Amino acid sequence: MIVSSALTVVLLAVAGGLTWWGFGTYQDQQTYKGVLSSAISELFGTDDLLAEIDAVVVDLANNDVTSLSVDDMLDVQKKVQDGKSTCIDELDAAEEAVGQVAINSSSEASNAPDLKVVDTITARRQMMTSGAAIIDDTVSALQARQEATKGWQLVLAADGLAREAADIASSATSADMQASTEKSQQAIESFSKAKTALQNAEQLFPQLDLSSYMSYIDKRLEAQGYAIESNDALINRDTQAATEHNDAYNNAERQAGELAEKLPEDPDELVVEAFDSKTVSSRELYENARSQAQSADAFIRDYLGTFNK
């Protein structure tokens, strides 16, 4: 997406130029100017909130979602939730005001100033709607990312414990078997917590699919279960059972290794893909509305500048 650096808005300076508005096709130009002044004044109240939203959308156009801070996004989300209703009321009031002019208009020209005000009102409504959706999805994706990252860190910790368990088991004494089992149990606990964190991530952002990570975890859990059974068999001097469980352990670890080769280096890649897929429509709607608002605002500013000379 090609995005300019900032949202073009109707500035407060516009109000100073309104006294020079003129439109020859209307019998009462003073009424026309007064009504348009009222409509544009209502739009001023939406500028700050739209600027907050726009900054996020511009950032997302230039960087992936993981570049944003979840705490910052929660602040923006709260501002949008708190201010959205007021902004909609202001847009309604502006639309009602400019509607008084449109009813009496004898011109159907698409570049009539009042119609350009209608255009920017329509565009701002869409920016508010799609922008709020983008903010909500961004918060959800970043919260899911936190859980996914936590889960992956737990996987790495569990892997370390599993390796320790395997190293200790190589000594083959009863005490070592017990110590190995304790490490395997710790690994199982860490793998289980990791799976819960990944499941939480999917619940926070349902478009996020972490099943490949969970399949890997399941296989590692299976392997650790066999490792414990092998240790127990060795403690009980049942070498045949120990061999069978050890073979099952090695097979499960081999399968886990094959699954690991297909995993992204960390879950961020999947978070970005899921977010981009989820928000592609709302971001396109926002960008189209943004362009419409910029065009309408530029026309109004130029029009006022002409009549202010």
Side-chain angles (χ1 to χ4, degrees):
M1 291 176 285
I2 301 175
V3 183
S4 61
S5 61
L7 174 65
T8 303
V9 296
V10 179
L11 301 176
L12 287 171
V14 165
L18 285 172
T19 58
W20 293 97
W21 276 53
F23 202 70
T25 58
Y26 293 96
Q27 295 180 349
D28 191 345
Q29 294 183 30
Q30 293 303 313
T31 298
Y32 180 78
K33 290 184 291 184
V35 172
L36 283 181
S37 175
S38 175
I40 293 173
S41 294
E42 293 292 346
L43 294 179
F44 296 157
T46 69
D47 287 349
D48 288 346
L49 189 60
L50 284 175
E52 291 275 359
I53 295 172
D54 200 65
V56 174
V57 178
V58 169
D59 204 345
L60 289 171
N62 298 315
N63 306 283
D64 68 56
V65 67
T66 62
S67 68
L68 300 177
S69 159
V70 66
D71 291 334
D72 290 345
M73 290 309 306
L74 283 168
D75 288 342
V76 175
Q77 184 184 50
K78 187 175 188 308
K79 290 178 182 177
V80 172
Q81 290 173 344
D82 291 346
K84 185 178 178 181
S85 178
T86 299
C87 285
I88 290 175
D89 289 343
E90 288 167 335
L91 291 172
D92 288 343
E95 189 170 49
E96 182 178 356
V98 79
Q100 298 175 36
V101 174
I103 290 174
N104 297 319
S105 175
S106 60
S107 172
E108 296 181 358
S110 61
N111 63 346
D114 54 284
L115 296 184
K116 290 300 181 180
V117 174
V118 172
D119 285 346
T120 195
I121 291 171
T122 301
R124 287 162 187 256
R125 285 191 190 280
Q126 182 59 65
M127 291 172 69
M128 194 71 64
T129 300
S130 54
I134 293 169
I135 299 299
D136 289 343
D137 284 336
T138 301
V139 169
S140 296
L142 290 174
Q143 289 176 329
R145 182 201 181 201
Q146 285 185 325
E147 285 296 305
T149 300
K150 173 184 174 182
W152 185 237
Q153 292 301 317
L154 286 166
V155 167
L156 297 178
D159 180 69
L161 291 166
R163 292 178 185 276
E164 289 183 44
D167 290 341
I168 295 171
S170 63
S171 298
T173 67
S174 179
D176 288 333
M177 291 303 100
Q178 186 60 44
S180 175
T181 293
E182 291 175 0
K183 287 292 183 181
S184 287
Q185 289 170 337
Q186 292 173 15
I188 287 173
E189 181 180 0
S190 188
F191 277 128
S192 298
K193 289 180 178 179
K195 186 174 181 180
T196 297
L198 296 180
Q199 289 171 334
N200 290 340
E202 288 189 334
Q203 290 176 354
L204 287 165
F205 199 67
Q207 290 72 27
L208 180 60
D209 182 4
L210 298 173
S211 58
S212 58
Y213 284 95
M214 285 187 272
S215 295
Y216 169 74
I217 290 173
D218 286 341
K219 191 57 65 174
R220 295 302 302 275
L221 286 168
E222 179 184 340
Q224 289 307 298
Y226 289 133
I228 291 174
E229 290 176 342
S230 178
N231 289 342
D232 289 344
L234 285 173
I235 291 173
N236 294 324
R237 301 184 183 280
D238 187 344
T239 56
Q240 180 178 350
T243 299
E244 291 175 355
H245 293 315
N246 190 63
D247 288 344
Y249 163 81
N250 288 330
N251 185 51
E253 283 289 279
R254 178 184 58 78
Q255 293 177 17
E258 293 173 354
L259 291 172
E261 291 177 357
K262 301 176 183 178
L263 293 176
E265 195 168 314
D266 63 56
D268 275 4
E269 180 179 328
L270 297 181
V271 172
V272 172
E273 290 177 359
F275 176 80
D276 288 346
S277 177
K278 174 65 167 59
T279 61
V280 62
S281 177
S282 55
R283 289 164 77 176
E284 182 178 355
L285 287 171
Y286 183 91
E287 289 301 330
N288 289 337
R290 187 178 192 270
S291 178
Q292 181 182 355
Q294 286 178 324
S295 176
D297 289 353
F299 177 91
I300 294 169
R301 189 171 57 251
D302 291 345
Y303 184 86
L304 291 176
T306 298
F307 280 87
N308 199 33
K309 292 180 181 178

